[in-house]
Amino acid sequence: MSLKLIGYSRKRGVVTHPYPKQPIEVDEHYRGKPELEFEKCMGCGACANACPADAITIETLLEKGVREWSIYYGRCIFCGRCQEVCPLTAITLTQEFELAATSREDLMVRAEFKLAACSECGATMDITERQIAVARAILSCSRELPDPEALLEAARVCSECKRKSTAEKIIEATKAYGGGV
Amino acid sequence: MSGIENVVGRLREVLPENAVCSVSVENGKVYVEVQPNLLPDAASSVYWELGGFLSTMIGTDDRYVDGYFRLYYVFSIEEGREEERGKPWVIVMVKIPGDKPSFPSITPRVPAASWYEREVRDLLGLEPENHPDPRRLVLPDDWPEGVHPLRKEFKFDERPEPVPSEYQFRPEEIEGEGIVQVPMSPLHVMADEPSQFRLFVDGERIVDVDYRMFYVHRGIEKIAEERLTYNQVPFIAERVCGICGYAHSTAYCQAVEDALGIEAPERAEYIRTIMLEIERLHSHLLNLGVACHLAAFDWGFMELFRIREKIMKAAEILSGGRKTYGMNLVGGVRRDIPRDKAKKVIELLREVRREFSKTIDIITSNPLFLRRCENVGVLPTHVARALSAVGPTARGSGIPRDTRWDHPYAAYKYIRVKPVVEKSCDVLGRVMVRAREVMDSLDIVEHALDGMPGGPIMYDGDIEIADYARGLGYDEAPRGENVHFVVVKRDSRLHRWRVRASTYNNWPSIPYMSRGYTMADFPLIVGSMDPCYSCTERVVVVDVKSRSTRVFSHNELIKLSRKASLNIKRG
């Protein structure tokens, strides 16, 4: 019996992997550490919305003029929902899995996106500059919309100014008919 | 649907005449509302006369909807229908007035209900009258009386002031000449829960076993009910268990799909089936390996774990993760299986098949291993029946229960899986069930990968949520049937989510399996049920007469089990 086992085992040889001296190869679609490609991201927050573990959070700070994005790898469950919902493929799950760190802070990654200013009054709006840039890129290649430039202009005006200009237009219109307000 | 009509007819025959309030068929399940005072009669007729097994029991707090608590006893009608595929579900429901929260216990007539009724008592404050064992089950010992966390007025982040008190282990009635109590302190049960055992031993022999569990009850159901929407829950459902998590998320998704009246596309069903079988493979190989380790047959342990690594690799290729697959959402799956990956996995599985069949032959013909497993931990068929045991524990005791056959779901509707049954009722029987199921699973995965139909992997029709829609989801996890019950509200949140893990139905059989065997057998017996292999932190032996104590460590207990094998070897 024992002899048989020895023969069987010898044929298998040593299968223990000399990790960590040699790195372990994972599958190409392994769900490892999610990484943000800052250049691609427009800060829309779709990932934060989808994240079931609340590892990704997003906060708009109007007084600072920025939108803060952050991921805390300590909470991440590597499900890949963020990658799935990202409209710009800015966040992807990498093959990296060695995430041990000595402090919590090391597991945190933050990004800041500049908020756009209203083209009329200059106030900070709840939309990032990059979101407007993306809107411009989409509108510029759209052939179905009649006046993309006007739409884009509208996107760059804050809601307060929009309300004002609408009110002014109504006043103008009523004046034209000779009525008061 | 003649099967259903047949059951409804039989129900009217066996139930006491004045007990039934209403009978309705919802999504192919029979709901019977009965008078609370006649509940024990009704439940025991369904259990014993109709041949039902108790699959789960759910208590819901509907006081803010219509002023009642509700209890649902879910029975799967199986006895006498062994050859039938797609067996009926009968759900016995009672309404309990919100101001008088008590009901007659069915446990004296249906022992399988013991844990369920203790649980609703703890979590919802519904008092089971005449329950033979009214001790706490779920809530911690220092939890104040009268605070019930699953009631709707209790907020999920509330932390009541602890009230010091101690759990009462079974009374001293077992005391006697030479009988010693062996408490095993909260032990990290490998999979589900750490628990505390108290063995009553006479010398080496176990006279009786008592246990205390739920040290890590995490309140996942409460979090899901209060904080999450139904599509966020699959990820937390996958974390109910560290070994059969995917089975939980599948059962959950199927429950919600049942409630919403939608169906996952066929390709998604196949992908779920493939992942479920991959999970079964890794879990069975792990358990078989552990059984070898406990029997001091480490060659088998090493060899099975080496083979298991290939399954982990297959899971990584298919899902991107070794253990948490994260593939399910309500309505389908998130990740497709392309042709080239399927091919890679099929190749891996063929290697596994070749190596496993050789290895298991060697293990099951090893005289030492056989002597440790044969006629040890016998769970007689009638006990398994009375306790509604599930999975390999039931099948090893000669009961042909397999959800894949009894209630075909996902792709098991198209792939037939016959239950694997062993009649020996001992540890070896359960080992053999697992060994044979490994081969079946390999067949199923290969067949499914090969014959997967094309098409979408996610339901993309409209979803309309009827308020308080009920749904039942079930699947065969590696250790047996998992049953999830949901009540969905219109705002896409859950009013109630009840998880019933397979081990829940198997635990109560531990005392029956252990009586009469030695302490050295105990780890092997518990391990054969596959909840754990007694990762004991420490074990204290108390001599009742002299009050002397001796502390055993986890390693010492395992050493004891392994030494028993060595003693056999030496003759």
Side-chain angles (χ1 to χ4, degrees):
Chain A
M1 190 69 204
S2 300
L3 277 177
K4 194 171 152 196
L5 294 189
I6 290 170
Y8 191 82
S9 300
R10 280 189 65 135
K11 228 165 52 191
R12 297 271 161 254
V14 177
V15 292
T16 312
H17 192 89
Y19 182 82
K21 282 183 190 149
Q22 268 175 38
I24 278 186
E25 224 175 272
V26 293
D27 191 70
E28 55 172 333
H29 294 116
Y30 183 77
R31 291 181 289 125
K33 176 187 180 186
E35 264 174 16
L36 180 77
E37 234 176 290
F38 182 68
E39 288 68 38
K40 278 190 185 174
C41 180
M42 62 169 165
C44 68
C47 47
N49 240 341
C51 183
D54 288 346
I56 302 179
T57 49
I58 201 147
E59 207 178 349
T60 307
L61 305 168
L62 284 176
E63 63 285 3
K64 271 175 81 182
V66 290
R67 187 176 281 175
E68 267 185 9
W69 179 96
S70 73
I71 181 165
Y72 175 46
Y73 291 114
R75 284 192 76 99
C76 180
I77 60 169
F78 311 99
C79 64
R81 283 286 281 160
C82 46
Q83 178 176 359
E84 207 170 74
V85 296
C86 182
L88 298 178
T89 62
I91 191 159
T92 38
L93 265 59
T94 59
Q95 290 173 304
E96 200 180 322
F97 59 88
E98 291 155 317
L99 299 180
T102 46
S103 83
R104 241 159 216 262
E105 218 22 59
D106 294 349
L107 291 170
M108 199 79 151
V109 171
R110 291 194 181 82
E112 276 187 0
F113 297 89
K114 205 165 168 229
L115 291 174
C118 173
S119 59
E120 308 237 321
C121 68
T124 327
M125 295 192 294
D126 186 7
I127 183 169
T128 63
E129 282 186 345
R130 286 185 178 185
Q131 274 176 294
I132 292 184
V134 170
R136 169 171 296 150
I138 295 171
L139 286 169
S140 68
C141 51
S142 158
R143 291 195 193 130
E144 285 151 35
L145 294 163
D147 192 0
E149 215 35 57
L151 279 171
L152 198 64
E153 268 319 302
R156 301 184 56 179
V157 180
C158 71
S159 52
E160 193 59 33
C161 291
K162 264 185 215 157
R163 205 177 305 148
K164 247 187 227 163
S165 82
T166 314
E168 271 161 19
K169 272 180 202 159
I170 294 172
I171 292 170
E172 284 301 308
T174 43
K175 266 185 192 162
Y177 286 101
V181 182
Chain B
M1 284 278 126
S2 65
I4 293 274
E5 276 155 33
N6 171 337
V7 169
V8 174
R10 283 278 292 139
L11 263 177
R12 295 212 185 269
E13 277 169 37
V14 297
L15 290 186
E17 208 167 282
N18 45 0
V20 183
C21 303
S22 69
V23 180
S24 62
V25 178
E26 227 175 85
N27 286 344
K29 293 163 205 77
V30 185
Y31 282 81
V32 196
E33 196 193 328
V34 299
Q35 297 286 1
N37 57 334
L38 291 172
L39 170 69
D41 295 318
S44 70
S45 323
V46 174
Y47 196 90
W48 296 112
E49 286 174 51
L50 221 60
F53 281 78
L54 185 61
S55 274
T56 180
M57 188 266 246
I58 307 105
T60 61
D61 178 5
D62 304 338
R63 284 172 305 154
Y64 295 98
V65 187
D66 59 2
Y68 286 100
F69 288 104
R70 276 184 182 74
L71 289 182
Y72 301 87
Y73 289 83
V74 181
F75 296 96
S76 158
I77 311 297
E78 293 175 20
E79 228 171 20
R81 294 167 185 267
E82 280 75 20
E83 290 307 308
E84 209 173 289
R85 251 177 117 224
K87 300 187 172 79
W89 290 104
V90 172
I91 299 167
V92 175
M93 195 257 282
V94 282
K95 271 170 144 177
I96 298 167
D99 50 354
K100 210 181 130 290
S102 68
F103 63 100
S105 163
I106 71 165
T107 307
R109 317 263 296 265
V110 181
S114 174
W115 272 36
Y116 294 101
E117 293 186 333
R118 286 167 69 186
E119 183 176 330
V120 292
R121 179 180 165 275
D122 283 7
L123 297 180
L124 281 161
L126 301 175
E127 193 64 40
E129 293 155 16
N130 295 328
H131 194 289
D133 184 8
R135 293 174 302 170
R136 273 194 179 166
L137 179 73
V138 180
L139 292 180
D141 298 330
D142 56 4
W143 190 269
E145 281 293 332
V147 181
H148 304 291
L150 274 187
R151 288 195 171 183
K152 290 291 170 196
E153 65 263 21
F154 187 91
K155 293 284 154 257
F156 77 94
D157 52 356
E158 227 170 294
R159 279 161 188 259
E161 220 25 64
V163 180
S165 79
E166 219 162 273
Y167 186 74
Q168 280 302 309
F169 277 96
R170 248 210 309 274
E172 285 63 45
E173 63 199 47
I174 313 163
E175 256 182 54
E177 190 69 24
I179 290 184
V180 172
Q181 272 194 47
V182 186
M184 300 192 184
S185 282
L187 47 87
H188 296 291
V189 174
M190 184 174 69
D192 280 8
E193 296 109 341
S195 53
Q196 189 172 353
F197 286 105
R198 186 126 336 181
L199 303 185
F200 298 89
V201 292
D202 178 4
E204 270 283 291
R205 285 228 167 248
I206 299 170
V207 182
D208 205 351
V209 180
D210 196 14
Y211 46 74
R212 168 74 171 132
M213 253 159 262
F214 291 87
Y215 285 100
V216 284
H217 190 76
R218 290 161 290 175
I220 283 182
E221 291 172 359
K222 188 76 184 174
I223 293 173
E225 282 166 24
E226 278 200 21
R227 282 203 57 184
L228 306 175
T229 59
Y230 71 74
N231 239 347
Q232 287 177 308
V233 178
F235 298 100
I236 204 167
E238 189 152 2
R239 283 155 181 83
V240 166
C241 176
I243 304 267
C244 59
Y246 190 74
H248 277 289
S249 84
T250 306
Y252 165 77
C253 289
Q254 286 173 351
V256 178
E257 284 158 17
D258 186 34
L260 303 182
I262 62 172
E263 246 181 55
E266 211 177 305
R267 189 174 174 84
E269 289 183 326
Y270 267 87
I271 293 175
R272 281 183 182 170
T273 301
I274 291 164
M275 296 319 294
L276 283 170
E277 291 304 328
I278 292 273
E279 193 172 67
R280 189 182 326 281
L281 282 168
H282 100 75
S283 171
H284 278 3
L285 289 173
L286 180 136
N287 181 258
L288 290 170
V290 166
C292 289
H293 174 66
L294 290 176
F297 186 37
D298 276 334
W299 180 86
F301 168 68
M302 293 289 185
E303 189 59 18
L304 287 168
F305 267 63
R306 183 182 65 76
I307 296 171
R308 178 173 175 268
E309 194 51 35
K310 294 189 195 221
I311 302 291
M312 303 309 274
K313 189 74 198 171
E316 188 189 311
I317 292 171
L318 293 175
S319 75
R322 281 164 59 88
K323 188 61 228 28
T324 37
Y325 308 148
M327 300 258 281
N328 275 334
L329 279 183
V330 171
V333 294
R334 295 171 48 208
R335 209 173 151 119
D336 209 347
I337 299 178
R339 208 50 242 159
D340 58 319
K341 292 201 170 183
K343 250 193 198 150
K344 255 197 238 169
V345 170
I346 287 177
E347 239 157 70
L348 270 174
L349 294 181
R350 289 198 176 140
E351 275 173 41
V352 170
R353 183 196 305 274
R354 268 199 310 277
E355 295 175 2
F356 178 76
S357 49
K358 261 190 213 158
T359 307
I360 201 72
D361 271 353
I362 296 175
I363 292 171
T364 50
S365 57
N366 183 302
L368 176 76
F369 185 75
L370 290 180
R371 255 186 81 180
R372 286 303 308 281
C373 298
E374 254 173 334
N375 296 321
V376 169
V378 171
L379 179 69
T381 310
H382 70 273
V383 177
R385 163 75 183 102
L387 295 175
S388 282
V390 295
T393 311
R395 292 196 285 277
S397 284
I399 302 177
R401 300 193 72 188
D402 190 326
T403 316
R404 295 174 289 174
W405 174 266
D406 296 334
H407 307 283
Y409 56 94
Y412 303 109
K413 286 181 254 176
Y414 324 109
I415 305 169
R416 295 160 73 91
V417 187
K418 266 274 192 190
V420 172
V421 181
E422 289 283 334
K423 293 210 158 47
S424 58
C425 304
D426 52 4
V427 171
L428 187 66
R430 298 188 271 279
V431 165
M432 289 312 290
V433 166
R434 292 205 176 86
R436 285 166 59 195
E437 278 181 3
V438 168
M439 298 311 267
D440 280 1
S441 289
L442 288 167
D443 286 342
I444 297 167
V445 180
E446 204 172 307
H447 177 85
L449 279 172
D450 228 19
M452 240 188 328
I457 55 169
M458 185 58 91
Y459 174 83
D460 64 348
D462 292 332
I463 291 179
E464 211 174 289
I465 309 174
D467 224 3
Y468 298 100
R470 298 177 287 210
L472 189 71
Y474 35 83
D475 60 9
E476 183 75 14
R479 304 120 180 215
E481 170 196 58
N482 280 350
V483 184
H484 285 225
F485 181 88
V486 293
V487 181
V488 190
K489 285 191 291 186
R490 190 169 294 153
D491 59 356
S492 76
R493 282 169 186 271
L494 300 171
H495 173 63
R496 181 79 172 96
W497 171 38
R498 168 75 161 99
V499 181
R500 204 276 284 150
S502 35
T503 311
Y504 194 93
N505 267 26
N506 285 339
W507 264 122
S509 54
I510 282 288
Y512 299 90
M513 286 185 194
S514 325
R515 279 176 203 149
Y517 304 103
T518 64
M519 256 172 75
D521 290 330
F522 188 68
L524 200 59
I525 293 171
V526 176
S528 78
M529 215 186 74
D530 194 11
C532 75
Y533 66 105
S534 303
C535 298
T536 329
E537 272 180 351
R538 63 200 186 106
V539 179
V540 187
V541 179
V542 184
D543 190 323
V544 179
K545 275 189 283 183
S546 64
R547 298 272 160 206
S548 64
T549 56
R550 196 190 147 198
V551 180
F552 278 83
S553 71
H554 154 59
N555 285 340
E556 274 178 301
L557 191 73
I558 288 184
K559 250 187 218 157
L560 202 64
S561 167
R562 291 163 61 84
K563 220 170 95 186
S565 298
L566 296 177
N567 288 343
I568 293 175
K569 223 185 231 170
R570 294 198 192 101

